[in-house]
Amino acid sequence: MKNNKCSFHFPQDESLQSFLFRILKVNGYINYSSILVPYSGWGSRPSISFEAKDILIGVSKSQLLKLLEKNTLISKEESDFVNHFDYVQLFDKTFAPQKTTKSAGKGMNIHFCPLCMKAQMYQYGYSYFKNDWNNQLYCLKHSEKLLALKPSNMSLMIINIDKILKCEVDDSFTFIPKYNQPHFMTAFDRSVKFAPCAKKQLIYWILKNSKYYPQGYTDICDYGLLNPIAKKAFNSKRYRYEIESDWDRFYQQITEYAHKDLTDYIQKHMVFDFAQFRDKGIISDHKVILKNKYKSCQACQKFSYDNYKTCSKNTLLYNPKTIYESKNGYKESFDYKDHKLEFDIQRHQNKLGIRQGEAQVRREIKMSYEYKRLGGKENYMKILKKAVYTL
């Protein structure tokens, strides 16, 4: 095994799995368990093997970050409020692991276009697997179906991948896939995201407008236990909790039935800004965020530190030693009182027999459905008697 360290060139459209496989192969390493899944193909969460982590010292960290970004899979239904750079936490695990990797993630087919790889060999002197092939059945350049490597054990898979990279392809170890793998976006495909201050601003706007209620939300019925002021305060707290605990679902509802109000508010009270990750010699590309028009990032850093820590811009500001964090004593006291009040309301409902009555109504509604399904109460009783006699 070689211990040499080298700079390593990789094209912008190369997959992370391909890059790691090639760099291990070039440097004489034989352990590919952090990249490949036996009897499947590429791993969805590849990384350099623990014993080979030093060979990446000569490679630009910023280039590696971009490679990771283009290969970090995300859902198409991803929230609009995530941090652009949440994938950075995978950087050390992928390129500088501190222990032996036990898994390369879920297995996925190894797709490739022989014509593209021959063109790569002619242009670069070597070939590689494109990142786009992990989510495609056709080559967009040649309008040809992609080939796939037949699943096999680890040693045979390594041999066949090496043959493909040398453009030595035949039908004995390849096939034409009929079904595509589940399609995902990557972190590189992310568009505009809301900063934490913008999310907080939207929640405050919604709380001020009582016409925007989550579907299925109802105020608690105290049946005369609370005075109007106490009832309003209690239900306001429950309403806030309902929205904050399931914010993404509620935000989706708002985009559907109050789209114009939402866009008007965003245009009036928010601004576009750029975010970039900078830390430990790693610099990312700029990303676009929407932030609160009236709040500076420095103020957020000082007085809303929990929000600042989750913001995409948190590595662009100087982090002072003294942070003005809010005290939680009053909050804990109010939470305790809320829980106690909720218990008192439940106990009051039980004393009035409300819960027993509600359960009875539910049973009667369920029985009415059964009567209707079986053609009326008379038929229902006949079927029930017949079932009893057969026991």
Side-chain angles (χ1 to χ4, degrees):
M1 183 183 296
K2 298 179 182 179
N3 292 321
N4 60 308
K5 302 169 187 178
C6 63
S7 60
F8 200 80
H9 174 265
F10 54 93
Q12 292 294 315
D13 59 347
E14 183 173 15
S15 73
L16 179 58
Q17 295 92 340
S18 174
F19 166 74
L20 295 174
F21 184 94
R22 290 196 305 115
I23 200 170
L24 288 177
K25 194 73 176 177
V26 166
N27 286 273
Y29 289 90
I30 59 175
N31 179 12
Y32 297 87
S33 60
S34 61
I35 306 170
L36 299 171
V37 178
Y39 301 101
S40 185
W42 296 131
S44 60
R45 287 294 178 122
S47 64
I48 196 77
S49 58
F50 174 70
E51 62 272 18
K53 62 179 182 179
D54 290 340
I55 63 177
L56 292 175
I57 290 178
V59 182
S60 164
K61 289 185 177 181
S62 298
Q63 282 186 307
L64 291 177
L65 182 68
K66 194 165 187 177
L67 180 65
L68 179 62
E69 180 187 19
K70 290 184 175 182
N71 286 268
T72 300
L73 303 180
I74 61 172
S75 170
K76 287 183 177 180
E77 289 76 35
E78 182 185 63
S79 169
D80 290 334
F81 300 87
V82 300
N83 187 318
H84 268 295
F85 308 112
D86 57 358
Y87 64 91
V88 176
Q89 61 184 327
L90 300 172
F91 186 90
D92 287 341
K93 186 176 180 180
T94 304
F95 301 115
Q98 299 303 306
K99 57 183 179 180
T100 303
T101 304
K102 295 181 179 180
S103 171
K106 294 182 179 179
M108 50 199 293
N109 287 338
I110 300 176
H111 294 166
F112 65 98
C113 171
L115 297 177
C116 280
M117 299 188 88
K118 287 180 180 179
Q120 294 165 1
M121 185 70 77
Y122 178 80
Q123 182 177 357
Y124 300 113
Y126 63 88
S127 64
Y128 59 91
F129 295 87
K130 292 183 180 181
N131 178 41
D132 290 343
W133 293 343
N134 288 337
N135 281 320
Q136 292 176 355
L137 284 178
Y138 289 86
C139 173
L140 299 180
K141 184 176 181 180
H142 296 102
S143 299
E144 295 281 346
K145 285 187 176 181
L146 296 177
L147 295 181
L149 182 66
K150 289 181 180 178
S152 62
N153 59 50
M154 180 70 78
S155 58
L156 184 56
M157 193 155 42
I158 294 170
I159 292 172
N160 290 334
I161 291 174
D162 196 38
K163 286 182 178 179
I164 293 172
L165 289 172
K166 294 176 181 176
C167 298
E168 299 172 359
V169 180
D170 62 58
D171 297 338
S172 64
F173 58 85
T174 62
F175 69 100
I176 299 176
K178 295 181 180 179
Y179 301 102
N180 201 8
Q181 302 173 133
H183 184 75
F184 291 89
M185 295 172 59
T186 68
F188 182 77
D189 301 318
R190 283 172 171 163
S191 56
V192 181
K193 298 294 181 183
F194 288 92
C197 61
K199 175 182 175 180
K200 189 174 181 180
Q201 191 180 17
L202 283 174
I203 292 175
Y204 178 73
W205 168 63
I206 288 167
L207 289 172
K208 286 177 59 180
N209 292 272
S210 58
K211 62 181 179 178
Y212 305 129
Y213 270 79
Q215 293 179 7
Y217 171 81
T218 55
D219 283 344
I220 194 166
C221 296
D222 65 307
Y223 295 95
L225 178 65
L226 305 177
N227 62 52
I229 296 176
K231 182 178 179 181
K232 182 178 179 180
F234 182 73
N235 281 320
S236 295
K237 182 69 180 292
R238 288 185 68 247
Y239 179 40
R240 173 183 284 274
Y241 175 78
E242 181 87 11
I243 291 174
E244 291 180 341
S245 61
D246 198 7
W247 168 249
D248 284 327
R249 182 179 67 86
F250 182 48
Y251 172 73
Q252 186 61 37
Q253 292 177 16
I254 290 290
T255 60
E256 292 172 1
Y257 67 77
H259 180 74
K260 187 178 185 306
D261 292 348
L262 177 63
T263 53
D264 288 347
Y265 182 83
I266 291 173
Q267 289 177 2
K268 186 176 180 180
H269 299 284
M270 296 183 187
V271 293
F272 289 107
D273 199 359
F274 288 106
Q276 187 179 40
F277 182 86
R278 291 184 186 179
D279 190 32
K280 299 177 182 177
I282 307 174
I283 302 176
S284 73
D285 291 338
H286 286 90
K287 301 295 179 180
V288 182
I289 60 172
L290 271 169
K291 66 178 293 291
N292 189 329
K293 184 178 182 179
Y294 312 106
K295 190 169 186 178
S296 70
C297 295
Q298 287 76 12
C300 186
Q301 183 190 38
K302 288 183 178 180
F303 303 110
S304 303
Y305 191 63
D306 288 341
N307 284 340
Y308 164 76
K309 288 190 297 184
T310 60
C311 183
S312 299
K313 292 191 69 173
N314 66 3
T315 61
L316 293 182
L317 299 178
Y318 170 67
N319 191 2
K321 294 182 180 179
T322 305
I323 299 296
Y324 301 91
E325 298 190 67
S326 60
K327 304 299 181 182
N328 293 324
Y330 291 113
K331 181 179 183 301
E332 291 174 358
S333 175
F334 284 127
D335 286 344
Y336 170 76
K337 289 181 180 179
D338 281 337
H339 289 313
K340 184 178 183 303
L341 188 56
E342 189 169 355
F343 175 76
D344 290 342
I345 292 172
Q346 182 177 336
R347 185 172 59 182
H348 181 66
Q349 290 175 341
N350 289 336
K351 284 182 179 179
L352 295 177
I354 301 299
R355 291 179 175 270
Q356 292 86 344
E358 181 182 347
Q360 178 63 28
V361 171
R362 289 181 182 276
R363 285 194 294 269
E364 291 178 359
I365 292 174
K366 187 175 180 180
M367 288 301 299
S368 69
Y369 288 150
E370 289 297 312
Y371 293 159
K372 183 177 181 181
R373 186 174 67 87
L374 298 174
K377 183 176 181 179
E378 195 173 317
N379 282 346
Y380 174 83
M381 298 304 296
K382 287 181 181 179
I383 294 172
L384 184 62
K385 288 179 181 179
K386 185 176 180 181
V388 172
Y389 290 148
T390 57
L391 294 177

